[in-house]
Amino acid sequence: DIQMTQSPSSLSASVGDRVTITCRASQSISSYLNWYQQKPGKAPKLLIYAASSLQSGVPSRFSGSGSGTDFTLTISSLQPEDFATYYCQQSYSTPPVFGQGTKLEIK
Amino acid sequence: EVQLVESGGGLVQPGGSLKLSCAASGFTFSGSAMHWVRQASGKGLEWVGRIRSKANSYATAYAASVKGRFTISRDDSKNTAYLQMNSLKTEDTAVYYCTRPAVYYDILTGYSDNWFDPWGQGTLVTVSS
């Protein structure tokens, strides 16, 4: 199975900050990488698909980049509603493995 | 609007069984694969398994942690997917989500990809004596 490793596991930031979360695959997955946001008690929500495509309705402050084994999710200017846990997920092969998550907390 | 609604969760003793349902609406259910993903309290997301469409022979695949104990099925006439869980262990305690893969396919290049959207609200399964 392909392993997905996110860093950091947790992050403290302030409203207005620029934040970057990294996801690394154990082998090349081309651009088969998706990002999800999850708030407490809620289901995950798709943010970015195919490494860099913004899901409809997601604010443009979210962006994704990368290919091969290294990927990033960037939030250009944190808003209060962005404090949540973020997961990457590879769709290159079965099983579709998720990263362990990055919890974004208010500083 | 695409919607997924899980049901059937509850408290079950170790070694017991439980069957979850996922009712779908707002899209052509019969043409879509369906996946189950679980999340233990305070932990990350773990893929459980999937079932493909009739056109893909209803093929199933499972995570190693549940293979041989869990079975995914579907009833296209009811727009519903199921997760039959047998020989349950305490470590199966989690919120179980169903989700649909949104599929992209480029007929010219043969490129295809998929991502999970949307997700149901989840149903809690607690395995405890």
Side-chain angles (χ1 to χ4, degrees):
Chain A
D1 297 357
I2 296 173
Q3 303 305 312
M4 306 300 294
T5 304
Q6 288 181 234
S7 61
S9 296
S10 63
L11 175 60
S12 294
S14 301
V15 173
D17 283 354
R18 180 183 180 90
V19 167
T20 297
I21 297 169
T22 297
C23 179
R24 175 165 288 176
S26 60
Q27 67 181 71
S28 178
I29 57 170
S30 186
S31 297
Y32 291 89
L33 191 284
N34 310 307
W35 290 97
Y36 302 87
Q37 176 194 65
Q38 187 180 34
K39 296 182 178 179
K42 300 295 186 181
K45 171 190 170 184
L46 178 69
L47 295 177
I48 302 284
Y49 60 92
S52 61
S53 295
L54 191 67
Q55 171 67 348
S56 176
V58 174
S60 59
R61 61 181 179 273
F62 290 91
S63 64
S65 65
S67 66
T69 60
D70 294 318
F71 303 86
T72 59
L73 172 69
T74 300
I75 310 172
S76 60
S77 178
L78 272 174
Q79 298 302 301
E81 60 268 29
D82 299 338
F83 292 94
T85 300
Y86 294 84
Y87 294 92
C88 62
Q89 174 245 327
Q90 66 84 12
S91 54
Y92 181 82
S93 65
T94 300
V97 176
F98 294 87
Q100 82 278 15
T102 295
K103 186 173 184 179
L104 181 52
E105 299 175 305
I106 301 173
K107 183 182 286 185
Chain B
E1 179 193 7
V2 177
Q3 192 170 12
L4 300 171
V5 179
E6 302 95 336
S7 61
L11 174 64
V12 61
Q13 292 188 336
S17 298
L18 202 61
K19 187 173 185 177
L20 307 183
S21 299
C22 171
S25 59
F27 66 100
T28 304
F29 178 81
S30 60
S32 179
M34 294 298 296
H35 292 241
W36 289 91
V37 176
R38 68 183 181 183
Q39 185 173 39
S41 180
K43 303 298 184 181
L45 301 168
E46 179 188 16
W47 179 78
V48 172
R50 62 94 168 128
I51 185 167
R52 288 181 166 160
S53 65
K54 181 179 181 180
N56 291 289
S57 304
Y58 297 127
T60 55
Y62 300 94
S65 58
V66 307
K67 195 170 185 178
R69 299 188 298 122
F70 289 12
T71 301
I72 299 174
S73 61
R74 62 191 297 158
D75 184 338
D76 291 343
S77 69
K78 295 183 179 180
N79 287 354
T80 301
Y82 303 98
L83 178 63
Q84 176 68 48
M85 304 182 292
N86 298 331
S87 303
L88 282 161
K89 306 175 181 179
T90 55
E91 52 263 42
D92 295 319
T93 295
V95 174
Y96 284 74
Y97 297 100
C98 65
T99 181
R100 178 201 71 167
V103 177
Y104 172 82
Y105 178 68
D106 187 325
I107 196 169
L108 294 178
T109 65
Y111 170 82
S112 69
D113 195 359
N114 68 94
W115 41 87
F116 295 135
D117 180 63
W119 299 59
Q121 85 287 353
T123 187
L124 176 63
V125 173
T126 303
V127 185
S128 174
S129 55

